[in-house]
Amino acid sequence: MCKIESEEFGVIDGKLAYLFRLINKRGVFVEIISYGAIIKSMNLPQEDGVCGNIILGYDRLEEYVSDKNYLGATIGRYANRISNASFMMDGASYLLDKNDGLNCNHGGFSGFHKKIFDHKIEDEKLVLSVDSVDGEGGFPGNITLTVTYQLTDQNELFIGYHASTDRKTPVNITNHAYFNLSGDETIWDHQLKIESDRMLESNDNFIPTGTYIDIKNNPGFDFREFKTIRENMSLKKEKIEGYNSCESVFKKLDK
């Protein structure tokens, strides 16, 4: 049985933001902020049995407002980058916010991560909703997004998204939480396994090229068996430290 507590978290542009705490019968709890529908913390039992936070976050609302890394935020209208901040649809051209060089990233300057969501509690679920008007960020159509959070007594966090619009428009929603399961300063020694034989190539600006790459030809991304992130980083051809790739992963199916 999950209970939900709430408290005021700060004011932005004259609007009050709330912090919600979802707590299950085991004492595990998740904190959600109505600003950006952000996951502020996720507190799970560690090796010593004491609950510890495994999500990177801030203490104050002002830090989230000035954050440029989308910590824990709900991302949209369109997660990831759109090349040249433009797209064609049904013969019409749409020009978007250029907030990542020449590209549009994570919905532009007025993405969902910058909005205060309305809230209500339905049974054991926290339901957050927000509107985006036609033309905002350059995207067509009025959109209403609903994000639902539910914490179970099995320590599972379910996130549900529902978007409705009055015009045809691209929509791609996700959450941008940064996890650190160990509580250490880095995640280099985390074990990772991805059951995939192919990945989607991206260029130096993290834009997909449309080319699929066999994992066996790109060993720095080969996590078909458990490996530490540190172990594979030395095999990467990219110059950046760590991983920041627009990837679609595929498992080849036997016919």
Side-chain angles (χ1 to χ4, degrees):
M1 187 70 178
C2 175
K3 66 177 181 179
I4 301 177
E5 302 173 345
S6 66
E7 61 185 66
E8 296 180 1
F9 190 65
V11 177
I12 176 70
D13 295 332
K15 296 182 179 180
L16 186 61
Y18 289 87
L19 181 146
F20 300 91
R21 189 171 292 109
L22 288 63
I23 311 169
N24 70 12
K25 68 178 183 181
R26 300 184 179 188
V28 167
F29 66 97
V30 176
E31 293 179 313
I32 309 293
I33 307 170
S34 60
Y35 176 77
I38 287 171
I39 302 178
K40 179 180 182 294
S41 73
M42 184 180 298
N43 300 270
L44 298 173
Q46 305 297 302
E47 291 182 348
D48 57 6
V50 178
C51 281
N53 178 30
I54 62 170
I55 296 290
L56 188 62
Y58 298 111
D59 294 325
R60 299 181 298 111
L61 176 62
E62 293 78 10
E63 294 173 293
Y64 282 103
V65 173
S66 61
D67 172 56
K68 299 183 184 302
N69 297 303
Y70 307 91
L71 264 63
T74 294
I75 302 300
R77 293 182 180 194
Y78 198 91
N80 221 321
R81 294 165 178 83
I82 296 178
S83 180
N84 296 318
S86 64
F87 68 92
M88 293 286 297
M89 185 174 65
D90 295 337
S93 177
Y94 295 89
L95 303 179
L96 310 176
D97 288 345
K98 293 181 179 180
N99 66 324
D100 185 68
L102 297 177
N103 306 312
C104 180
N105 191 32
H106 293 338
F109 296 113
S110 54
F112 293 135
H113 65 288
K114 290 294 186 181
K115 296 179 177 294
I116 291 186
F117 284 60
D118 294 328
H119 65 272
K120 61 181 177 179
I121 296 173
E122 295 182 350
D123 298 325
E124 299 178 21
K125 298 178 181 180
L126 173 63
V127 181
L128 303 175
S129 60
V130 73
D131 295 326
S132 177
V133 298
D134 180 36
E136 190 169 48
F139 291 92
N142 296 293
I143 276 188
T144 296
L145 173 69
T146 300
V147 184
T148 302
Y149 289 104
Q150 181 180 16
L151 177 65
T152 74
D153 286 330
Q154 289 70 46
N155 298 345
E156 303 163 314
L157 179 65
F158 288 97
I159 308 176
Y161 302 109
H162 181 271
S164 59
T165 179
D166 57 2
R167 289 183 62 188
K168 184 177 180 180
T169 189
V171 178
N172 184 30
I173 311 297
T174 192
N175 181 271
H176 209 283
Y178 292 76
F179 289 83
N180 187 326
L181 305 180
S182 65
D184 293 332
E185 292 184 1
T186 73
I187 61 169
W188 301 146
D189 293 320
H190 279 40
Q191 296 277 336
L192 179 62
K193 181 178 181 180
I194 304 175
E195 294 185 354
S196 172
D197 296 309
R198 294 188 295 162
M199 63 175 287
L200 184 61
E201 180 186 61
S202 58
N203 62 24
D204 291 340
N205 293 317
F206 311 110
I207 302 294
T209 66
T211 299
Y212 297 120
I213 301 174
D214 285 337
I215 290 296
K216 64 182 180 181
N217 296 326
N218 198 4
F221 289 83
D222 187 355
F223 288 97
R224 290 174 293 178
E225 301 296 335
F226 276 110
K227 296 178 183 177
T228 65
I229 295 174
R230 183 193 306 276
E231 178 182 357
N232 263 24
M233 277 203 315
S234 62
L235 304 176
K236 285 188 336 95
K237 299 177 182 178
E238 297 177 327
K239 297 179 180 179
I240 66 168
E241 183 180 26
Y243 291 84
N244 184 21
S245 299
C246 176
E247 295 180 44
S248 294
V249 293
F250 303 87
K251 181 67 175 177
K252 292 181 180 178
L253 301 178
D254 295 330
K255 295 183 178 180

